[in-house]
Amino acid sequence: MWIRAAVLLAIAPVLSRLTARAAEGSRSSFDRVRTLAAVPPVAIIGVDLNPGLCPTWYAGMQAVGALALIGVAFITRGSAPRNALPKGLRGLIVQVARTGTD
């Protein structure tokens, strides 16, 4: 139980930096933030549903944190944030091929 709290505290600066880079327009950082917003809520719910693994109050706090991440996951899966960032090299090649210009 406390290991999860320590891990979250340890990776918080990394998540903060990824979010800052995504806000600056880094597509790879944005993709990582999208993934990190979608995977942990599933793991949190799966672990907290095991009876007796952690106290009820801790499971409740984890659920509140998972709700925030679920909100971020839905927002980042929308088309507006994806379209606001530049496409990678592969997307640029496809776009040039469609328009026929250099």
Side-chain angles (χ1 to χ4, degrees), residues 4 37-54 58-71 73-74:
R4 286 191 286 170
V39 173
V42 175
I44 289 168
I45 291 168
V47 169
D48 289 346
L49 286 179
N50 291 326
L53 192 60
C54 57
Y58 192 79
M61 290 180 64
Q62 291 286 321
V64 170
L67 287 175
L69 284 174
I70 290 170
F74 276 110

Side-chain angles (χ1 to χ4, degrees), residues 3-19 36 40 69:
I3 293 174
R4 286 191 286 170
V7 168
L8 181 60
L9 185 61
I11 65 169
V14 175
L15 293 175
S16 177
R17 181 67 183 140
L18 281 175
T19 304
L36 291 173
L69 284 174

Side-chain angles (χ1 to χ4, degrees), residues 7 27 43 46 52 63 102:
V7 168
R27 181 111 178 142
D102 295 346

